[in-house]
Amino acid sequence: MSIKNNLLEIKSSLPENVTLVAVSKTKPVSDLLEAYEAGQRIFGENYVQELVEKHEQLPQDIQWHFIGHLQSKKAKLIAPFVDLIHGVDSLKLLEEINKQALKNERIIECLLQIHIAEEDTKFGLDETELNDLLNSEKFKNLKNIKIKGLMGMATFTENQNQIKKEFLHLKSIFEKISILNSNFSILSMGMSGDYQLAIDSGSTMIRIGSSIFGGRK
Ligand SMILES: *Cc1c(COP(=O)(O)O)cnc(C)c1O
């Protein structure tokens, strides 16, 4: 299957309210162009340097999402152009993104990452930490970032019930927060292996890499 066919097949199966982020980390610019020519405009990258280089080489109407774990000191490199930062999980990082957004006279949209997996290797906030962050005075003073929703990654397991349980947990947190916060519209969950379950559980944004571009080394 070609990148184009993979992409069109996935797209045709998605409900209207679900946005597809094509995760292109480690893939060459030619692969991204193939997806671009098939109509894809939203791409997700995990590494700052790679994102910066691809942004320079590819068409300017691409919307670039940063989906990796962003180090504060690198926020300035993507602040001029990044469209959405998915994996934010600390006030310190938000403050840095806000500072860099201000320098660029932009408002940068972000998602807060929630820890839903069993593995403790994955980043993210728990529900209490999320609420503390959203209610803090420091957060309320950040005028150049906008939190658009939440992001999470399920445990890497074959156990569908467990994955489903974790996605539903994230969805329930999302619902509670969105009642109070009208900016909340994005729930980013689901990757190649689990996006159907994620959509069934209320995802509005899926991040698909290998099912579009093939496996990574
Ligand atoms: C790599 C990555 C993806 C895509 O993974 P696939 O299994 O290749 O679809 C999605 N989200 C994040 C955060 C990733 O790092």
Side-chain angles (χ1 to χ4, degrees):
M1 285 277 267
S2 67
I3 290 171
K4 179 180 177 183
N5 287 344
N6 292 338
L7 193 58
L8 295 182
E9 189 169 306
I10 293 170
K11 272 193 163 168
S12 68
S13 77
L14 298 182
E16 240 170 66
N17 67 323
V18 176
T19 302
L20 172 64
V21 179
V23 175
S24 46
K25 61 182 175 219
T26 78
K27 297 296 176 182
V29 161
S30 56
D31 283 8
L32 282 78
L33 261 184
E34 195 175 333
Y36 180 87
E37 274 152 19
Q40 184 64 22
R41 290 295 179 272
I42 306 177
F43 290 86
E45 289 282 341
N46 290 56
Y47 308 104
V48 167
Q49 199 52 44
E50 188 179 349
L51 172 54
V52 169
E53 283 168 19
K54 285 173 171 170
H55 168 255
E56 283 168 5
Q57 293 174 47
L58 284 155
Q60 292 303 305
D61 62 340
I62 288 178
Q63 296 166 38
W64 293 102
H65 289 196
F66 188 80
I67 64 168
H69 195 258
L70 184 59
Q71 289 173 276
S72 291
K73 63 178 184 200
K74 294 195 173 169
K76 63 173 179 289
L77 299 172
I78 60 172
F81 66 89
V82 72
D83 198 65
L84 182 66
I85 302 176
H86 285 234
V88 182
D89 65 357
S90 74
L91 184 59
K92 176 174 162 273
L93 178 55
L94 274 179
E95 287 175 321
E96 181 61 23
I97 295 169
N98 185 73
K99 182 173 144 195
Q100 299 303 332
L102 182 60
K103 277 192 193 163
N104 286 280
E105 298 176 6
R106 300 187 64 208
I107 291 174
I108 296 182
E109 300 191 335
C110 301
L111 305 178
L112 293 171
Q113 183 167 358
I114 306 300
H115 181 97
I116 52 170
E118 270 191 346
E119 303 134 10
D120 45 50
T121 51
K122 289 195 176 133
F123 298 101
L125 305 162
D126 65 27
E127 192 172 359
T128 310
E129 291 166 333
L130 171 69
N131 285 317
D132 289 350
L133 191 159
L134 293 175
N135 292 324
S136 69
E137 279 312 310
K138 275 187 176 164
F139 171 74
K140 288 174 186 162
N141 288 326
L142 303 178
K143 303 297 182 207
N144 288 73
I145 49 140
K146 189 190 258 182
I147 306 295
K148 295 287 290 180
L150 302 178
M151 177 265 205
M153 290 166 85
T155 304
F156 189 68
T157 172
E158 293 290 310
N159 184 338
Q160 304 292 299
N161 285 332
Q162 182 174 347
I163 296 172
K164 178 112 196 182
K165 194 181 84 193
E166 292 172 0
F167 283 152
L168 288 174
H169 175 54
L170 181 52
K171 165 75 172 169
S172 77
I173 298 173
F174 178 75
E175 279 189 330
K176 279 187 245 172
I177 309 264
S178 8
I179 293 171
L180 305 168
N181 189 326
S182 57
N183 287 334
F184 266 59
S185 57
I186 301 175
L187 180 53
S188 167
M189 59 183 193
M191 319 193 344
S192 292
D194 57 21
Y195 75 89
Q196 289 298 354
L197 272 178
I199 291 171
D200 294 344
S201 310
S203 172
T204 68
M205 187 171 274
I206 55 175
R207 311 176 308 269
I208 309 283
S210 44
S211 291
I212 297 172
F213 297 105
R216 292 175 298 269
K217 290 186 196 90

